[in-house]
């Protein structure tokens, strides 16, 4: 999503964008989004300039590196997201999803909030046992840019779908914060030692950026919150990190990854390397080393996979499901189709190693550092192609990585220099503050960091936000309270 946002902002600078409805380009086209099954106007207009259309399930962009701090309460969740309609006023924003792509006809089959409402109404009117087929709209395009990002990669672990918590969206970050604080309330109010121990045990699966940063920030928050409970101490908490490989944070290198491991273990965090989660049925985490850990919190951050939409586009994909792209970011062997970010397998022209016979060439790492720069390069190439010029290959040398290990703690390996502790944590915040879009968000995040240094942490759980109508339904008599017979 960050790729799509940067791309459109770049195109807005380079091309003349047409304001108004998507259908402005074709006089005989239906109104914006038309009727089910009918096409809308092309996203590239002729006489009026360019109409740039973005299709996304959410009307905002989430800056994912700030999710751990949002979960810990250091940043308000509202400041982790950037509203697309505000930052892209001349672009057409459609809240919806693409189900399939017919690139031969240059048409995307999409659904929107309106089609979902219409489908629900038809299902309510249908005869018993009848299930109406969901309807989609056709969205034609001239140039297609696919940047759907990635989704959580789950495994067929028994109990994972029922009890696991993801960490890819701001909603999941808010829910996890509320859940952790709720477990402290449960432990504080029970006399059952088994329930208390399970409530105070927190299992994180995955030792990459998301897992380590989420674990470190939430561990900081939970230990701080314990001082306000009369019968819970920080020593009662148990945090467990499960990683299938032999190290954590491979992006920062072996030395800094080893330092991060020692730092976490010094905080009494149980880190299990070369270990897998075999089951979590009945809220019991069973590991491949034979140990069993009753836990009411299991956070799954064990990698990501390409968005499922890519398999339904008919475009060439790699064995891992990413779009095969040339160095110019154009989909390999395909005209009028482009990609960048996590969805794209882009050759790394700065790699020192040459591919062996039959092996895939070195690819750009799927991280924000490449995604942001690919977006700029892609926008320049689209502008060049529209003007009859040749696109330029994408080239960027990897600068390094930074990771937070909680308040005032971190690791960094940038341009060959290795930092740890407070300097690395400061670099982590400075880098991401410079990268979060819009001055508005930069100012708000900086203000919250300053205020959090002057005042105490917030430890309020707002778990009721997940069920906002529960109290009203109870008052109306449609839902029974748990204490009612």
């Amino acid at each position: 999503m960050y790729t799509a946002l940067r791309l459109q902002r770049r195109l807005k600078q380079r091309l003349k964008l047409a304001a108004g409805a998507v259908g402005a380009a074709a006089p005989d086209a239906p109104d914006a989004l038309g009727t089910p099954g009918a096409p809308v106007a092309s996203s590239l207009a002729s006489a009026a300039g360019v109409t740039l259309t973005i299709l996304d399930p959410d009307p905002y962009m989430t800056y994912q590196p700030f999710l751990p701090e949002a979960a810990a309460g250091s940043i308000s969740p509202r400041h982790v997201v950037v509203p697309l309609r505000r930052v892209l006023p001349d672009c057409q924003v459609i809240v919806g999803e693409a189900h399939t792509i017919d690139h031969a006809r240059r048409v995307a089959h999409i659904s929107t909030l309106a089609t979902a409402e219409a489908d629900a109404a038809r299902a309510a009117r249908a005869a018993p046992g009848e299930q109406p087929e969901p309807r989609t709209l056709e969205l034609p395009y001239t140039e297609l840019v696919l940047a759907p990002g990635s989704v959580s990669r789950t495994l067929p672990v028994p109990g994972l779908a029922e009890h696991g918590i993801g960490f890819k969206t701001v909603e999941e970050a808010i829910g996890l914060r509320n859940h952790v604080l709720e477990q402290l309330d449960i432990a504080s109010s029970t006399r059952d030692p088994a329930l208390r121990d399970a409530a105070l045990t927190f299992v994180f699966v995955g030792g990459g950026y998301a897992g380590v940063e989420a674990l470190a920030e939430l561990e900081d928050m939970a230990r701080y919150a314990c001082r306000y409970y009369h019968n819970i101490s920080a020593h009662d908490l148990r945090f467990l990190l499960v990683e299938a490989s032999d190290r954590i944070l491979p992006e920062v290198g072996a030395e800094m990854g080893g330092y991060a491991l020692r730092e976490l273990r010094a905080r009494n965090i149980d880190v299990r390397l070369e270990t897998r989660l075999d089951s979590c049925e009945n809220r019991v985490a069973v590991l491949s080393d034979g140990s069993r850990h009753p836990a009411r919190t299991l956070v799954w951050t064990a990698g990501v996979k390409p968005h499922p939409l890519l398999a339904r586009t008919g475009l060439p994909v790699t064995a891992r499901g990413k779009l095969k792209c040339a160095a110019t970011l154009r989909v390999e062997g395909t005209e009028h189709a482009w990609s960048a970010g996590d969805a794209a397998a882009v050759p790394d022209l700065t790699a020192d190693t040459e591919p062996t016979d039959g092996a895939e060439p070195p690819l750009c790492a799927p991280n924000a550092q490449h995604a942001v720069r690919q977006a700029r390069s892609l926008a320049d190439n689209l502008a060049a192609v529209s003007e009859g010029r040749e696109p330029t290959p994408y080239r960027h040398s990897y600068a390094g990585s930074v990771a937070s290990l909680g308040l005032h703690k971190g690791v960094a390996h940038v341009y060959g220099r290795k930092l740890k502790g407070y300097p690395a944590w400061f670099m982590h915040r400075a880098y991401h503050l410079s990268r979060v879009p819009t001055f508005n968000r930069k100012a708000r995040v900086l203000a919250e960091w300053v205020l959090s240094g002057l005042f105490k942490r917030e430890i309020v759980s707002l778990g009721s936000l997940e069920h906002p109508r529960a109290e009203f339904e109870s008052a109306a008599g449609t839902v029974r309270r748990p204490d009612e017979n």
Side-chain angles (χ1 to χ4, degrees):
M1 186 57 234
Y2 196 22
T3 306
L5 178 61
R6 296 300 305 216
L7 165 64
Q8 293 180 63
R9 294 183 68 181
R10 194 76 163 187
L11 276 176
K12 182 179 175 182
Q13 297 171 358
R14 302 214 169 236
L15 298 177
K16 179 182 178 182
L17 299 187
V22 180
D28 57 345
D31 294 336
L33 293 187
T35 56
V40 298
S42 174
S43 57
L44 288 184
S46 53
V50 176
T51 299
L52 194 59
T53 303
I54 176 170
L55 176 72
D56 194 86
D58 300 307
Y60 55 80
M61 185 218 83
T62 301
Y63 190 72
Q64 292 188 350
F66 280 158
L67 288 184
E69 293 201 53
S74 300
I75 301 176
S76 169
R78 294 180 294 110
H79 302 154
V80 176
V81 298
V82 180
L84 296 179
R85 288 187 174 91
R86 176 181 294 176
V87 298
L88 301 169
D90 298 325
C91 299
Q92 198 72 28
V93 178
I94 301 176
V95 179
E97 294 184 71
H99 295 278
T100 57
I101 303 290
D102 185 351
H103 193 61
R105 295 175 53 214
R106 289 199 232 172
V107 168
H109 298 275
I110 70 171
S111 63
T112 66
L113 296 177
T115 61
E117 289 291 330
D119 289 340
R122 288 190 300 111
R125 296 191 301 266
E130 182 183 351
Q131 186 66 33
E133 285 291 326
R135 295 183 180 179
T136 59
L137 306 173
E138 288 189 349
L139 176 64
Y141 57 83
T142 303
E143 298 286 341
L144 173 67
V145 178
L146 281 167
S150 55
V151 298
S152 296
R153 177 176 61 88
T154 58
L155 299 176
V157 177
L160 179 61
E162 293 77 14
H163 306 299
I165 303 173
F167 200 73
K168 280 281 291 179
T169 67
V170 67
E171 293 85 0
E172 288 175 328
I174 297 170
L176 182 56
R177 169 184 169 80
N178 291 332
H179 175 82
V180 169
L181 292 173
E182 185 180 76
Q183 300 313 301
L184 299 185
D185 292 332
I186 291 174
S188 176
S189 58
T190 183
R191 294 184 179 179
D192 183 346
L195 176 59
R196 175 186 168 92
D197 290 344
L200 296 180
T201 300
F202 306 91
V203 180
F204 287 71
V205 182
Y209 274 127
V212 170
E213 291 191 339
L215 166 67
E217 292 285 352
L218 286 166
E219 189 263 353
D220 261 357
M221 180 199 72
R223 292 191 185 280
Y224 176 86
C226 283
R227 68 182 66 182
Y228 298 100
Y229 290 83
H230 70 282
N231 57 351
I232 300 178
S233 71
H235 299 290
D236 296 329
L237 302 178
R238 183 165 181 244
F239 282 82
L240 174 64
L241 177 63
V242 180
E243 169 55 38
S245 68
D246 59 352
R247 61 176 179 170
I248 62 172
L249 293 177
E251 298 87 353
V252 298
E255 182 180 344
M256 291 294 97
Y259 168 81
L261 178 62
R262 294 191 298 272
E263 169 69 23
L264 294 180
R265 285 176 170 168
R267 291 157 59 176
N268 292 323
I269 296 174
D270 187 357
V271 182
R272 306 283 181 99
L273 300 180
E274 298 182 287
T275 307
R276 300 180 308 278
L277 176 70
D278 286 344
S279 171
C280 56
E281 290 182 304
N282 302 317
R283 295 187 182 273
V284 177
V286 180
L287 306 185
S288 59
D289 59 7
S291 60
R292 298 169 59 87
H293 309 273
R296 292 179 54 84
T297 305
L298 189 140
V299 184
W300 181 269
T301 61
V304 295
K305 63 181 180 181
H307 197 284
L309 169 65
L310 303 181
R312 302 192 298 267
T313 62
L315 300 175
V317 296
T318 66
R320 296 191 175 185
K322 294 187 175 186
L323 291 173
K324 291 183 180 179
C325 291
T328 58
L329 304 174
R330 176 179 276 156
V331 177
E332 207 170 78
T334 308
E335 294 293 326
H336 309 293
W338 309 75
S339 185
D342 288 1
V346 181
D348 187 356
L349 301 183
T350 64
D352 296 330
T353 59
E354 293 291 334
T356 58
D357 293 337
E360 293 185 355
L363 301 176
C364 295
N367 54 39
Q369 184 178 148
H370 279 297
V372 173
R373 290 168 175 82
Q374 286 174 5
R376 295 171 180 166
S377 180
L378 200 162
D380 290 341
N381 286 344
L382 270 176
V385 169
S386 70
E387 296 167 357
R389 296 183 285 111
E390 288 296 318
T392 303
Y394 168 76
R395 182 187 298 269
H396 170 66
S397 298
Y398 188 58
S401 300
V402 292
S404 171
L405 300 178
L407 191 62
H408 301 158
K409 300 174 284 290
V411 290
H413 189 183
V414 181
Y415 293 116
R417 301 192 64 179
K418 300 172 184 177
L419 301 173
K420 55 188 178 183
Y422 186 90
W425 171 83
F426 182 82
M427 178 177 288
H428 174 271
R429 282 199 163 183
Y431 173 78
H432 287 300
L433 184 66
S434 70
R435 290 291 178 256
V436 66
T438 78
F439 177 79
N440 177 298
R441 286 299 182 266
K442 287 180 171 66
R444 290 177 181 272
V445 169
L446 181 59
E448 288 191 313
W449 281 343
V450 172
L451 292 175
S452 66
L454 299 175
F455 302 102
K456 296 180 180 179
R457 282 179 183 259
E458 292 290 345
I459 59 168
V460 176
S461 170
L462 297 177
S464 59
L465 288 175
E466 298 171 24
H467 307 283
R469 297 189 69 246
E471 182 67 24
F472 181 80
E473 289 174 346
S474 177
T478 58
V479 176
R480 292 173 179 253
R481 289 182 177 274
D483 58 347
E484 290 181 340
N485 293 325

